[in-house]
Amino acid sequence: MTTDSATPPRRLESMDDLVSLCARRGFIFPSSEIYGGINGFWDYGPLGVELKQNLKARWWQCMVRERDDVVGLDSSIICHPRTWEASGHTEHFSDPMVDCRACKKRFRADQLDDIGSCSAREGSSEHDLTEPRSFNLMFRTSIGASEDAASLAYLRPETCQSIFNDFKRVRETARQKIPFGIAQIGKAFRNEINPRNFTFRSREFEQAEMEFFCHPSETEKWFSHWLAERLRFHRELGLDDEFLRTRRHEEGELAHYAKQAIDVEYRFPFGWQEIEGIHDRGDWDLRRHSEYSGKGLGVTDPETKEHFVPMVIETSVGLDRTCLAVLCHAYTVETFEAGDERTVMRLHPALAPLKAAVLPLSKKLAEPARKLHRELRRHWNVFYDDAGNIGRRYRRQDEVGTPFCLTYDFDSEDDGKVTVRDRDSMRQDRIAIDAVVEYLREQLENAG
Ligand code: GAP
């Protein structure tokens, strides 16, 4: 990286800075903001939705399109309610909860370290906590006009259960043999007791999950394979090793379905936290769904004729958490010798919401600049901006992570060239207008 930055660039230290940039620039902001927001729910604005789409596209490309042994699925959010009995969620999917008898606030019993003081107790700042009790995190709803027990349904707390429900149908229609996987991206819902850290712990979020079905003798091999693949994915997004680590779950913290689990963690400003889980789910899900549905979900090896229930290795990444990690990682403040600063989001070009911006030096140059913009937007998401001074327009693009700014100036009319400014190095090159598409393609494809 070459910049004329006078002091080393500063990374994100306080989440408040990112929250404020995200709201100000339309990445992410509270849902239902005009009503004061709703705790644990977030909206992705024009730039946020592009960032998230790019992340999903990248996941889908490497997990589905580039593999012969993984196929895709897009299932309904509401499943047959028996699904959640079979999966164990109605029984086990709970967090321990306590209430303060004085201020009536509710907390997770296993996260009491930073709950602050009680505002309602005279003579003591400590909360007056109840004994912990179990709180099931699934959101309930009802199907149809009546609201009795028979109509009870749940918003899915994880996307993978419909993969197990659809396992037989997908395997047969996709003519897949074991080992193979089914991948899905979609919304999940958890009625978290304490949503916090911006989008990190939300009540509505998106997961990208892949369930890989294999022979029992191959679970270790595929567990290692998928762990390595998923780490590679995160590194290729630009999250470097200093900020990534894996953590194996202890026996006592394993989810009810897991035989072993390794979390991929990112070092957020609020500490190391999970962004993805790699789980060995054994035959828990297929066996339980067989039992509860009465449908056989075992397979027969066409060569050996062995009949077995496949084992499942799962990769489960939170898209909101990964977006958050990517945003935290990209956030950089540079201070220059003259004392001025720029905030630059060093997003990986594949994730950047805008790939380039066309900036005519003067409104008088709007016509040819717009022509260039029209040409470029056939290939990428490209912004056009002719308002304000050019320095300020560069800074606006830096702040949203646009890798290239193309300035159409008065010389462009004569030499047929534009100035292409690189976001990170701020280097400027004159490139022939005819060659800009090729130039950008090469730069964007070869990045990182
Ligand atoms: N199917 C397995 C499963 O759901 P999990 O560890 O509970 O496993 C997987 O969740 C991923 O989903 C997590 O690594 C995290 O990225 C994301 N996730 C879970 N709860 C979340 C929440 N409340 N808000 C945002 N993301 C969440």
Side-chain angles (χ1 to χ4, degrees):
M1 181 186 75
T2 54
T3 66
D4 56 354
S5 178
T7 51
R10 228 174 347 107
R11 285 191 160 278
L12 181 68
E13 282 156 14
S14 154
M15 285 303 286
D16 291 347
D17 293 338
L18 184 68
V19 172
S20 140
L21 183 145
C22 283
R24 191 160 29 86
R25 302 311 312 271
F27 276 97
I28 307 170
F29 37 83
S31 172
S32 319
E33 208 173 4
I34 57 167
Y35 292 100
I38 170 166
N39 196 8
F41 297 90
W42 299 93
D43 291 348
Y44 286 68
L47 295 175
V49 66
E50 294 288 343
L51 170 71
K52 208 186 206 193
Q53 293 285 12
N54 292 339
L55 178 62
K56 288 186 208 177
R58 209 170 154 95
W59 186 87
W60 197 259
Q61 178 66 24
C62 90
M63 296 295 284
V64 182
R65 297 251 172 98
E66 288 179 12
R67 296 194 62 119
D68 294 330
D69 57 357
V70 180
V71 292
L73 179 71
D74 182 12
S75 70
S76 65
I77 284 175
I78 294 184
C79 304
H80 193 289
R82 290 277 281 167
T83 304
W84 306 109
E85 289 171 37
S87 69
H89 282 78
T90 44
E91 191 182 343
H92 299 290
F93 197 59
S94 320
D95 278 338
M97 177 179 73
V98 291
D99 288 303
C100 174
R101 294 185 188 89
C103 68
K104 310 291 180 216
K105 278 193 183 152
R106 193 156 266 189
F107 306 104
R108 255 177 78 163
D110 56 349
Q111 291 178 355
L112 293 176
D113 287 347
D114 54 356
I115 60 172
S117 53
C118 177
S119 53
R121 281 186 84 192
E122 273 174 36
S124 167
S125 59
E126 296 219 346
H127 292 278
D128 177 15
L129 297 177
T130 59
E131 284 302 304
R133 62 190 189 286
S134 228
F135 174 73
N136 191 293
L137 300 184
M138 283 196 293
F139 278 104
R140 291 158 164 240
T141 184
S142 52
I143 298 173
S146 63
E147 286 194 20
D148 55 17
S151 69
L152 177 65
Y154 300 96
L155 302 188
R156 64 185 179 197
E158 57 177 9
T159 59
C160 62
Q161 288 304 325
S162 33
I163 293 183
F164 303 125
N165 281 352
D166 293 350
F167 166 71
K168 189 167 184 294
R169 166 78 69 187
V170 173
R171 185 176 66 83
E172 287 169 2
T173 53
R175 301 176 66 225
Q176 285 284 347
K177 292 197 192 77
I178 302 295
F180 84 102
I182 305 176
Q184 153 153 260
I185 293 177
K187 291 266 188 178
F189 304 82
R190 297 185 188 174
N191 199 0
E192 298 284 357
I193 298 168
N194 283 135
R196 56 180 170 172
N197 289 326
F198 198 14
T199 58
F200 180 82
R201 190 174 304 287
S202 309
R203 289 178 164 141
E204 174 178 338
F205 54 95
E206 253 179 308
Q207 291 184 318
E209 298 200 296
M210 193 279 311
E211 309 301 313
F212 198 79
F213 303 91
C214 64
H215 188 272
S217 62
E218 294 199 318
T219 48
E220 280 309 319
K221 173 180 131 187
W222 287 110
F223 189 84
S224 308
H225 170 85
W226 283 112
L227 176 61
E229 282 296 289
R230 297 307 303 149
L231 274 172
R232 185 160 67 90
F233 177 87
H234 292 292
R235 286 192 188 111
E236 285 178 2
L237 296 182
L239 306 180
D240 45 82
D241 279 346
E242 220 187 303
F243 284 79
L244 273 183
R245 74 175 186 192
T246 56
R247 190 182 69 79
R248 185 174 275 279
H249 281 212
E250 313 263 334
E251 192 75 31
E253 65 174 316
L254 285 171
H256 63 272
Y257 52 73
K259 283 185 152 171
Q260 57 171 329
I262 293 187
D263 287 346
V264 178
E265 295 188 336
Y266 175 77
R267 181 149 63 90
F268 288 95
F270 47 88
W272 285 101
Q273 294 287 346
E274 168 191 352
I275 54 174
E276 171 150 13
I278 317 297
H279 307 130
D280 170 358
R281 298 181 73 119
D283 59 1
W284 163 267
D285 302 277
L286 291 185
R287 267 197 197 284
R288 294 275 292 198
H289 286 299
S290 261
E291 195 186 311
Y292 279 70
S293 68
K295 305 285 185 316
L297 297 177
V299 296
T300 304
D301 185 308
E303 274 147 38
T304 64
K305 308 295 176 220
E306 181 196 2
H307 188 76
F308 62 94
V309 177
M311 298 287 152
V312 171
I313 303 302
E314 170 182 75
T315 71
S316 176
V317 67
L319 294 169
D320 307 86
R321 284 193 188 174
T322 309
C323 278
L324 189 61
V326 158
L327 287 166
C328 288
H329 210 69
Y331 186 99
T332 315
V333 178
E334 293 172 357
T335 310
F336 301 99
E337 261 154 29
D340 55 335
E341 280 190 350
R342 76 162 179 155
T343 302
V344 52
M345 293 298 274
R346 293 177 180 273
L347 292 167
H348 188 295
L351 298 183
L354 299 163
K355 307 300 179 208
V358 176
L359 315 173
L361 202 56
S362 150
K363 285 196 171 153
K364 291 187 191 125
L365 299 166
E367 203 188 308
R370 279 203 183 276
K371 184 163 171 261
L372 176 62
H373 178 229
R374 272 197 304 277
E375 165 65 13
L376 296 180
R377 73 194 312 187
R378 290 172 52 223
H379 304 272
W380 304 284
N381 195 23
V382 176
F383 193 67
Y384 178 87
D385 184 8
D386 60 13
N389 92 28
I390 190 73
R392 219 167 296 139
R393 278 184 274 164
Y394 282 150
R395 293 291 190 265
R396 275 209 293 268
Q397 293 308 314
D398 290 343
E399 213 187 22
V400 299
T402 309
F404 297 100
C405 286
L406 281 61
T407 308
Y408 196 101
D409 58 25
F410 291 99
D411 292 339
S412 304
E413 296 288 88
D414 302 326
D415 66 4
K417 292 182 176 175
V418 284
T419 300
V420 180
R421 172 186 178 271
D422 178 279
R423 174 195 71 196
D424 296 342
S425 64
M426 297 193 289
R427 216 185 71 196
Q428 305 198 355
D429 287 326
R430 290 292 283 180
I431 306 285
I433 293 170
D434 294 348
V436 163
V437 169
E438 218 26 64
Y439 176 86
L440 287 182
R441 177 167 294 128
E442 200 174 293
Q443 299 288 320
L444 293 168
E445 282 177 7
N446 292 340

